[in-house]
Structures are given as structure tokens and as C-alpha cells.
Amino acid sequence: MATSITYRSALIYELSIFMLYGRHYSSRYRTIAELIPPNSSVLDLCCGPAVLYERHLRQKPIEYTGLDINEKFIKRIARLGAHGQIWDLRSDTPLPPADYVIMQGGLLHFLPDASPMVDRMLQAARRQVIISEAIRNFASSNAPLLASLGRWLTDPGTGRHPLRFTERTLDDFFTAYAARVDRSFLISGGREKIYVLNAKVTGDE
Ligand SMILES: C[S@@+](CC[C@H](N)C(=O)[O-])C[C@H]1O[C@@H](n2cnc3c(N)ncnc32)[C@H](O)[C@@H]1O
């Protein structure tokens, strides 16, 4: 199945994200990068063309691995000098371990029940899981044309994903992880919300 135009090249992807986030484009990635201390390993799921690595993590001593279903994006990571692997995250294969396991703008692909995905992230993380998800988007617009455009533009080749998070449904989703939530806050002018989860809760081990 073909991917939507947004995912056909790194340039088109970056332009689309830039158009969507405007002046918040850079801070969208920078905020996540600031949560990751030097000398740690990062597993970035649904990493796309690895803009986070290229623009914000590459200058730090970080061991970065990106996983994505998109072959073009993964080839680009190798050219950037990091490690990437084509991986369909719908499979329940255990994830490679890392200090920080992150996912930005990817959780919607695992709806209606994203908890098996988050559980696998927690199993792989030695320190924290960082998830940032859009809570305002076209695909859940009341305008049918905008909504269908939004869904069409975010098909990674696995079919259109009609479901999206709102701030309320995202907060509801993470109540099941309340014991692990370190903090949560809005970024990108309120378009996205970050949840930081501790891999271990007090009393573990
Ligand atoms: C909105 S992009 C986010 C990219 C990057 N994290 C960012 O914020 O710039 C979503 C990414 O999820 C990937 N993706 C969607 N479904 C996937 C799956 N089942 N397995 C692995 N990657 C998937 C797509 O190929 C795409 O690169």
C-alpha cells in the first residue's frame, strides 16, 4: 500500500510539519531533546526522517536508534551517521532496550488501543518513556473535507487512521499510567502534549 504524499520524502515531510507548526516547528523537537541528558541511549519510535536527531541530538554524546516502517526515512538515518531499522511497530516483537524510549506524533497509529504499544515502550526503557502527541489536528475537524484531507495526509502505508487524540482523551489514556507519570505539559503552542513516564515506579525491584 502506498504511503501518503507527506511521507514520500524527508523534504516533503519537513515542509508539511513546518506548515503545520510554523514558529513552533523547532521548539517542537527542541523540547524533547532537552529532556534527554548527554551520554544516554535513545530509541526513537515512529522516528520519521529523524529531524529530532539531525537538528537537536546529533551535537550531544547520544547513542541514537530510530525505528520506522518507512524505508526512505530509515536509509536517511544511516546517512546521518546514526542507527536506523525498518520496523513495523504493530508487531509485538520486543523493542531494543534504551535509556530513553520516545515517540513523537506516532501514538495515533496504534489507536483504538495504544496501551500495548506504551507497555512495550516501558519494558524497553531503562530510565524514561517520552511521548508527545498532537491534540489538535485536521483529521478530527468538524469540517468533513479538512478531516478527510488530514487522514489522507497521514497514511504511512498501513491504511488511513481515522482516530486522533484530543487533550481530554490523551489525559484519560494516561490515567492508567498515573503511578509512572513524572510530568506532562503542552508544547508547540498547545498543538501537542508531552507525557514523561518513569520506567520504574517506587517499589519496583
Ligand atoms: C507524524 S510522523 C512523526 C515523525 C517524527 N517522530 C516527527 O515527529 O517528526 C509518524 C511516523 O510514524 C511512522 N509509522 C506509522 N505507522 C507505523 C508503524 N506501524 N510502524 C512503524 N512506524 C510507523 C510513519 O512512517 C511516520 O514516519
Side-chain angles (χ1 to χ4, degrees):
M1 199 181 287
T3 61
S4 68
I5 189 162
T6 333
Y7 297 145
R8 299 239 178 109
S9 84
L11 181 67
I12 298 175
Y13 176 77
E14 276 206 63
L15 280 174
S16 317
I17 296 291
F18 184 72
M19 274 169 14
L20 204 57
Y21 286 89
R23 65 194 169 90
H24 302 293
Y25 172 80
S26 214
S27 70
R28 172 178 187 265
Y29 296 108
R30 197 174 51 243
T31 311
I32 295 212
E34 284 169 356
L35 295 171
I36 298 167
N39 303 311
S40 43
S41 56
V42 171
L43 180 70
D44 187 4
L45 308 181
C46 292
C47 61
V51 178
L52 172 69
Y53 174 73
E54 182 184 18
R55 305 262 164 84
H56 300 275
L57 290 178
R58 195 148 61 147
Q59 59 268 41
K60 287 195 212 177
I62 295 275
E63 192 189 307
Y64 177 91
T65 301
L67 306 184
D68 201 285
I69 200 169
N70 187 309
E71 189 182 352
K72 275 191 190 163
F73 291 164
I74 293 303
K75 282 186 174 160
R76 181 172 193 267
I77 298 177
R79 290 198 297 275
L80 292 172
H83 181 63
Q85 203 171 330
I86 301 169
W87 197 299
D88 184 350
L89 290 158
R90 292 171 302 173
S91 87
D92 55 12
T93 312
L95 299 168
D99 297 331
Y100 292 85
V101 179
I102 69 182
M103 181 183 277
Q104 183 166 33
L107 204 59
L108 71 100
H109 295 293
F110 305 94
L111 287 171
D113 182 10
S115 49
M117 183 70 253
V118 175
D119 293 344
R120 279 187 291 130
M121 292 174 79
L122 283 165
Q123 276 157 20
R126 285 188 283 257
R127 292 190 201 158
Q128 288 187 316
V129 163
I130 301 170
I131 295 174
S132 188
E133 190 63 18
I135 51 168
R136 278 202 265 136
N137 44 65
F138 290 133
S140 47
S141 158
N142 288 331
L145 205 62
L146 264 187
S148 108
L149 184 70
R151 284 171 207 151
W152 179 69
L153 287 173
T154 53
D155 179 354
T158 58
R160 291 185 196 179
H161 297 267
L163 300 172
R164 294 290 185 278
F165 284 101
T166 61
E167 184 171 13
R168 188 170 158 196
T169 60
L170 192 68
D171 288 344
D172 286 350
F173 174 77
F174 278 109
T175 53
Y177 297 92
R180 291 183 186 273
V181 175
D182 182 64
R183 60 202 134 137
S184 65
F185 51 96
L186 295 172
I187 61 164
S188 313
R191 291 198 77 89
E192 263 181 45
K193 190 161 188 173
I194 291 191
Y195 267 85
V196 181
L197 311 183
N198 294 318
K200 309 252 177 308
V201 285
T202 319
D204 273 5
E205 287 170 86

